[in-house]
Amino acid sequence: MSNYADIVVIADQIKNDLRPITFELLGAATDLAKKLGVKVQAIVMGYELGDIPQTLFHYGANEVFVVDKPELAEYTTLTYRRAALAVLEAMERPPHILLCGATTIGRDLAPRIAAYFETGLTADCTELEIGDYEHKGKADPAKTGLHKDCLYAIRPSFGESLKARILGPWKNPQMATARVGTMMPNEPDNSRTGKIIPVSVNFDESDFRVSVEETVYEVSNTVDLTQAKVIVSGGFGLGSADGFDVVRDLSSAFADSAVGSSRKAVDAGWIPYAHQVGQSGKTVRPALYIALGISGAIQHRVGMSNSATIIAVNKDEDAPIFQFAHYGIVGDLYEVAPLLKERFKTAMAGDVNVAKVGG
Amino acid sequence: MSGYKIAVLIKQVPDTSSKAGVNPDGTVDRARAKKMLNPFDKFALQKALEVRAEHGGEIIAITMGPPPAKEILAEALEYGADKGYLLTDKRLAASDTLATAYALYSVVKYLGDVDIVFTGLQTTDGDTAQTGPQIAERMDVPQITYLEKLAVVDGKIHGVRVIEGGVQKLTTSMPALITVANSAKPLEHKRFHNVHSVKELLRNEEELANKIFTVNLDDISADSSRVGLVGSPTVVGKTWKLGEKGGSCALFKGDAVSVEVAELVDKLKADERGIEELVQ
């Protein structure tokens, strides 16, 4: 048995739907747990959770802590905080690592848990690893020395085209939130099972200072970038909001496509935030990503660099996007995009005579 | 007293849209970089202005950083904040989000009886979105993150919070901490008559002394062992530059655009990238 404490994942669910990030976290936790020789535990909080714990076993959890209470039917910061603390404080020792999703739940809850325990938390990680760390600085003697088997929480560091490895080995749990779409889930194994550990929680009156009046899903306004097979994105190089007409037009050449954008085009007010790809927007990995007038700043890159095929169009031959695109054209996107559309349709469409509607 | 005491937490960040201080390899020389008010914070300022316009009260902008960070406090005054507080202290260097949250919480506590604390969703340099909720934990108050709209009615905040694929409508008691989403209403660039311009204000020491206050950790009775490197549970262990792979991109240039496009599409087909199946 390992000397280390286990790895804990907080399951992300809305209305008893486990969100894909939960499976991604369990996948990452499985890899980390193997290296440490420890178990993967999950915490799931909610009401009438049914067979959710079984699903967590299928995706890699060895043990599942379940807090099932009517007060947890809807996510609120303080009730979920109380439930998570009840589980964590009931453990014999703190987990070695505690992972949450970088979602509107995880990014809301994880900082409160970290501040409560006064432990380290790294936001929006794109890679998680285990390794040793020697702290050479002597400014704080309590930190100096070699630390074995730490969590390497790796995230892009912005405004600077860098990746940074963040460490916090001095106190457990070592916490991180993981960016949606960056970790690989395990293949589900429906025969896997594990131990369910019910945990009770005593709420305080102060936990109900926030109440949820209503949760509304705006299907019509939602741009599902993460599900599209092709994304055509526009950047600051479009020059104006009207430039997105060209982006939409090229996008229409593909059956299952969506329009994306860089942060700069969103900040300029040319297109709503829902279209934003990148660190503060969506992470996508479509079969084809076409970037029009996007320079390829790190903030954009982390959101789309896992796309199977990337085509970039930019006037500036030195634009960073050409360092990681698979194909590039140096030229005026307003000239290139319409020609690309035409060429795709004539040279590639399987059956050019059949006009399809929608898509 | 009528109205609410509102704190808005803001940060000075490098202006990455400016070429100043950007090294040829894309890294930023922070000392030479042009600086700006974190764009996310403008949404927070707008919400504070909306609450004050409706209910009265006072808006206090708070920042932590080296002395030049005073510039963004002056900018906040120009947008309509009533006062600014700069927490500056060498002992704050190397603070991570937890230590930063403790420091900013200490300023809020020092001001006393704050009803609402607004922050931007995140900063453009740290990009963590953690400091707000960590301050709320220190204050032991409820929070609404990713807030898009709000109305204050009978001492309660009714907020609309953006979640994946929808919104949550929430009500919270005060005091509370709110982080404002960047899909919220943008800041109205309205000049307030009591303030002239950032530059003018920064030159006017008399007016500055009445509106912008500089404090250190001792002034606000903060525990210096909870900030800086000593107070930070995390460190940056290593950084490395991203993919200067180069050369792997099949680049088409120099020809007529129609030729480039034709060559690119031919190459896609030759490489068997499976693009055919995607075209409709």
Side-chain angles (χ1 to χ4, degrees):
Chain A
M1 203 189 115
S2 171
N3 289 326
Y4 295 114
D6 295 320
I7 297 183
V8 176
V9 166
I10 295 187
D12 206 298
Q13 61 90 8
I14 295 183
K15 294 191 186 293
N16 292 357
D17 243 359
L18 280 173
R19 303 186 61 81
I21 183 70
T22 305
F23 309 130
E24 295 164 20
L25 291 171
L26 287 170
T30 303
D31 293 343
L32 300 177
K34 257 182 219 153
K35 286 175 195 158
L36 293 174
V38 301
K39 292 193 292 284
V40 175
Q41 300 175 316
I43 299 175
V44 61
M45 301 170 273
Y47 182 49
E48 294 180 334
L49 290 165
D51 57 5
I52 282 185
Q54 308 304 330
T55 311
L56 295 169
F57 294 137
H58 298 165
Y59 279 89
N62 301 111
E63 295 176 352
V64 177
F65 296 94
V66 180
V67 194
D68 196 317
K69 300 276 273 185
E71 293 89 341
L72 299 172
E74 292 258 19
Y75 174 80
T76 77
T77 313
L78 297 178
T79 50
Y80 272 59
R81 169 191 173 278
R82 182 72 66 192
L85 295 181
V87 174
L88 292 164
E89 293 197 310
M91 292 178 179
E92 262 173 50
R93 53 181 179 161
H96 193 69
I97 292 168
L98 176 59
L99 303 177
C100 299
T103 59
T104 59
I105 290 178
R107 285 175 122 212
D108 188 79
L109 181 62
R112 298 223 43 155
I113 295 172
Y116 177 83
F117 288 115
E118 306 221 10
T119 195
L121 168 64
T122 306
D124 294 10
C125 296
T126 51
E127 294 162 59
L128 298 168
E129 290 168 15
I130 298 287
D132 298 343
Y133 171 62
E134 184 168 13
H135 190 76
K136 290 181 179 145
K138 298 204 164 57
D140 178 8
K143 285 195 168 75
T144 310
L146 178 68
H147 304 273
K148 303 286 277 180
D149 296 321
C150 318
L151 174 67
Y152 286 176
I154 298 162
R155 72 190 303 265
S157 156
F158 295 106
E160 306 162 51
S161 306
L162 299 172
K163 270 207 283 195
R165 179 190 290 165
I166 313 291
L167 296 132
W170 302 281
K171 188 164 185 179
N172 287 351
Q174 299 172 44
M175 289 182 65
T177 61
R179 196 161 170 72
V180 175
T182 55
M183 311 284 158
M184 288 307 286
N186 300 325
E187 273 302 316
D189 173 355
N190 293 345
S191 67
R192 270 186 111 254
T193 181
K195 186 171 156 197
I196 293 177
I197 306 164
V199 179
S200 64
V201 51
N202 296 312
F203 291 106
D204 187 277
E205 203 186 316
S206 67
D207 296 334
F208 303 105
R209 285 176 284 180
V210 177
S211 54
V212 178
E213 311 303 328
E214 200 183 357
T215 304
V216 188
Y217 292 96
E218 298 168 324
V219 179
S220 59
N221 289 338
T222 306
V223 186
D224 207 348
L225 281 175
T226 54
Q227 301 301 318
K229 290 209 172 93
V230 179
I231 295 174
V232 183
S233 280
F236 205 62
L238 292 174
S240 73
D242 294 341
F244 273 97
D245 291 344
V246 174
V247 180
R248 283 183 207 103
D249 188 50
L250 178 54
S251 164
S252 72
F254 303 97
D256 190 357
S257 63
V259 169
S261 163
S262 72
R263 174 145 104 188
K264 269 180 137 180
V266 171
D267 285 349
W270 297 345
I271 190 161
Y273 169 67
H275 294 267
Q276 187 173 316
V277 172
Q279 172 70 7
S280 45
K282 305 253 171 24
T283 302
V284 296
R285 48 171 81 182
L288 174 63
Y289 191 94
I290 304 180
L292 301 176
I294 293 177
S295 66
I298 174 64
Q299 117 84 21
H300 189 72
R301 178 175 177 173
V302 295
M304 46 65 79
S305 61
N306 289 330
S307 307
T309 299
I310 300 169
I311 301 174
V313 180
N314 206 297
K315 269 185 188 166
D316 178 5
E317 192 183 337
D318 296 324
I321 196 146
F322 291 127
Q323 288 177 7
F324 57 95
H326 304 104
Y327 303 86
I329 290 183
V330 180
D332 180 352
L333 70 94
Y334 286 99
E335 285 180 52
V336 175
L339 287 169
L340 257 182
K341 182 188 175 192
E342 194 190 312
R343 192 78 192 170
F344 273 129
K345 298 206 79 145
T346 53
M348 286 195 144
D351 188 351
V352 290
N353 296 318
V354 178
K356 288 183 197 159
V357 180
Chain B
M1 191 198 103
S2 73
Y4 296 110
K5 191 166 178 178
I6 303 162
V8 184
L9 308 184
I10 61 178
K11 187 181 182 190
Q12 194 173 43
V13 297
D15 181 353
T16 46
S17 68
S18 159
K19 297 269 183 207
V22 180
N23 298 323
D25 64 2
T27 57
V28 173
D29 177 350
R30 279 174 188 259
R32 285 192 301 122
K34 209 179 141 203
K35 299 192 179 63
M36 63 175 182
L37 172 63
N38 173 37
F40 288 87
D41 298 343
K42 292 187 176 178
F43 299 99
L45 273 167
Q46 174 64 27
K47 284 287 172 278
L49 291 165
E50 286 171 17
V51 173
R52 190 187 60 184
E54 178 92 0
H55 301 279
E58 156 179 66
I59 298 174
I60 306 160
I62 299 171
T63 193
M64 164 178 146
K70 220 180 239 187
E71 290 161 17
I72 59 163
L73 293 176
E75 196 177 339
L77 294 193
E78 192 189 332
Y79 291 130
D82 298 291
K83 278 193 236 164
Y85 277 83
L86 168 66
L87 172 63
T88 190
D89 199 307
K90 287 207 164 68
R91 292 170 287 181
L92 292 165
S95 291
D96 71 359
T97 66
L98 190 80
T100 301
Y102 170 75
L104 290 169
Y105 151 75
S106 301
V107 182
V108 173
K109 197 173 91 176
Y110 167 76
L111 295 175
D113 302 321
V114 170
D115 299 297
I116 313 175
V117 179
F118 284 107
T119 75
L121 177 64
Q122 60 197 48
T123 60
T124 53
D125 59 348
D127 248 323
T128 72
Q130 286 176 185
T131 310
Q134 291 186 320
I135 293 167
E137 181 67 23
R138 287 279 160 273
M139 293 175 69
D140 188 20
V141 299
Q143 72 192 30
I144 300 178
T145 54
Y146 294 88
L147 178 129
E148 201 168 64
K149 294 183 195 136
L150 91 174
V152 178
V153 183
D154 299 331
K156 294 211 164 218
I157 300 170
H158 301 269
V160 176
R161 172 177 194 258
V162 186
I163 59 172
E164 288 83 2
V167 295
Q168 247 188 343
K169 293 180 183 169
L170 305 162
T171 302
T172 179
S173 61
M174 288 197 250
L177 182 140
I178 310 284
T179 81
V180 184
N182 54 344
S183 53
K185 188 180 172 193
L187 179 61
E188 290 169 335
H189 288 242
K190 196 158 64 180
R191 275 171 192 270
F192 281 73
H193 59 83
N194 56 337
V195 179
H196 320 290
S197 76
V198 175
K199 277 188 184 142
E200 217 173 300
L201 178 68
L202 287 166
R203 278 197 301 269
N204 185 341
E205 287 189 17
E206 201 179 314
E207 198 168 343
L208 210 60
N210 289 321
K211 289 200 159 75
I212 296 184
F213 306 91
T214 302
V215 291
N216 64 27
L217 290 169
D218 302 324
D219 295 330
I220 59 170
S221 311
D223 177 356
S224 64
S225 74
R226 297 182 69 179
V227 301
L229 184 66
V230 178
S232 297
T234 62
V235 294
V236 178
K238 181 187 163 187
T239 59
W240 61 97
K241 279 181 205 158
L242 269 168
E244 286 160 350
K245 287 182 289 184
S248 63
C249 179
L251 202 59
F252 300 88
K253 57 175 180 175
D255 286 312
V257 169
S258 58
V259 176
E260 292 172 3
V261 167
E263 286 176 357
L264 180 137
V265 173
D266 288 346
K267 175 115 174 75
L268 277 170
K269 286 178 84 170
D271 290 352
E272 296 180 2
R273 284 270 176 177
I275 307 296
E276 290 87 344
E277 295 157 24
L278 305 169
V279 178
Q280 69 173 353

